[in-house]
Amino acid sequence: MREKGSVRKAVLIFMLVIFVIDSTIFGWLTAGKMILKSAGVFKTEISFTEDITYVDPVEYVDAEIIKYLGPEDGSAVIEPVILEKDKTYELVLSIPSFDGWDRSSYLRRSTIKLDNGKELRLDLEDDLSKWQEIYDEDLDVTYVVAVPACKVNSYEDLLSEFDRAVNDFKAAQIRKAVIITGIITACAILLSVLLFRFYQFLLYCDKNNIATGVTAAITILNVVFTMLVLLMIYVYPASF
């Protein structure tokens, strides 16, 4: 009987250790998925080296589609915005929380706030071959739908500031993931200790059948939990 009890106890301890390991992995993957869905915000002030007549690229595409689909009826008229030289504008960018991000793509999805409260999508383009001056006959004005990076004062400082903000944001997200994982692991350890103490209490009370059932139930649940964790690893590995 003692040998059977020792084997059953060894199995239980092994299952509880696996449970703690699985819980740690589960916590890290869960935190990783939460972080991947999060987004940071970077705000700063910029100014331009010269007056720039600019059109929101989304509005430009919409107007081109209207012109292509039907006759011009005034609904396709583009209203350019003049970004004044040396005037300060608030620039807002989203901060990515995952690896492999392309900084230029986020700069092209930035926005600036105008005096009338409107938010204007701003495309900052390093590659000068991707922007061109466009002449609108109806308005008799020449405008661009992408601002050359060289037209922004202290553009290199802007890039450095943005990179630093991204690194700080990702570091904070990793710290958050560690805290979440630590809490889940601590709870798993506490639960494992309580289950083992409960098992010992059953043996002390000579409840061998119940103790056997508890061991079997924990083993089955642990197998199911292990399969769930393996599925999570396969479906969405954490990325920071």
Side-chain angles (χ1 to χ4, degrees):
M1 293 294 292
R2 286 185 177 180
E3 290 183 359
K4 289 184 178 180
S6 298
V7 171
R8 200 165 57 224
K9 185 182 294 185
V11 170
L12 179 62
I13 293 174
F14 177 76
M15 286 294 104
L16 293 177
V17 170
I18 296 298
F19 173 72
V20 172
I21 295 174
D22 283 346
S23 297
T24 301
I25 298 174
F26 176 82
W28 183 252
L29 291 173
T30 301
K33 190 167 181 64
M34 291 171 57
I35 288 174
L36 286 175
K37 289 185 175 182
S38 64
V41 177
F42 169 74
K43 294 183 179 181
T44 190
E45 293 183 342
I46 64 170
S47 61
F48 301 97
T49 59
E50 62 184 63
D51 288 348
I52 298 174
T53 304
Y54 178 78
V55 167
D56 185 322
V58 175
E59 293 183 4
Y60 175 78
V61 172
D62 290 343
E64 289 297 305
I65 291 175
I66 292 174
K67 289 180 180 179
Y68 177 78
L69 293 179
E72 296 185 29
D73 57 0
S75 59
V77 173
I78 298 175
E79 295 293 341
V81 173
I82 297 179
L83 304 175
E84 301 177 27
K85 176 184 176 181
D86 292 332
K87 182 176 181 179
T88 300
Y89 296 91
E90 183 183 47
L91 179 74
V92 181
L93 294 84
S94 61
I95 296 182
S97 59
F98 49 86
D99 291 329
W101 63 282
D102 180 3
R103 181 175 64 190
S104 62
S105 67
Y106 284 90
L107 291 175
R108 287 195 296 271
R109 287 200 294 269
S110 58
T111 59
I112 59 174
K113 292 186 177 180
L114 304 177
D115 292 338
N116 57 9
K118 178 182 177 181
E119 290 189 349
L120 180 70
R121 170 170 164 160
L122 183 69
D123 277 18
L124 296 177
E125 187 59 72
D126 279 320
D127 188 351
L128 299 186
S129 65
K130 293 183 179 180
W131 71 276
Q132 60 179 329
E133 293 185 337
I134 302 169
Y135 177 71
D136 190 301
E137 295 181 355
D138 297 329
L139 298 177
D140 190 23
V141 67
T142 300
Y143 57 85
V144 296
V145 291
V147 177
C150 58
K151 303 298 183 182
V152 178
N153 285 317
S154 304
Y155 181 69
E156 293 300 328
D157 292 340
L158 169 63
L159 294 184
S160 298
E161 191 178 349
F162 180 55
D163 287 343
R164 183 166 56 251
V166 170
N167 292 333
D168 291 344
F169 176 73
K170 292 178 68 173
Q173 294 295 79
I174 290 177
R175 287 195 297 270
K176 187 187 300 182
V178 171
I179 292 174
I180 293 174
T181 304
I183 293 175
I184 292 177
T185 300
C187 291
I189 293 174
L190 177 61
L191 180 59
S192 297
V193 171
L194 293 176
L195 288 172
F196 185 70
R197 290 298 185 186
F198 178 64
Y199 170 82
Q200 288 182 316
F201 174 75
L202 291 175
L203 292 182
Y204 176 79
C205 296
D206 198 25
K207 304 290 186 180
N208 284 284
N209 292 333
I210 300 178
T212 301
V214 169
T215 304
I218 293 175
T219 302
I220 294 173
L221 290 175
N222 199 50
V223 170
V224 174
F225 188 45
T226 300
M227 293 177 65
L228 173 63
V229 170
L230 292 175
L231 180 62
M232 289 177 65
I233 294 175
Y234 176 77
V235 173
Y236 59 90
S239 176
F240 301 97

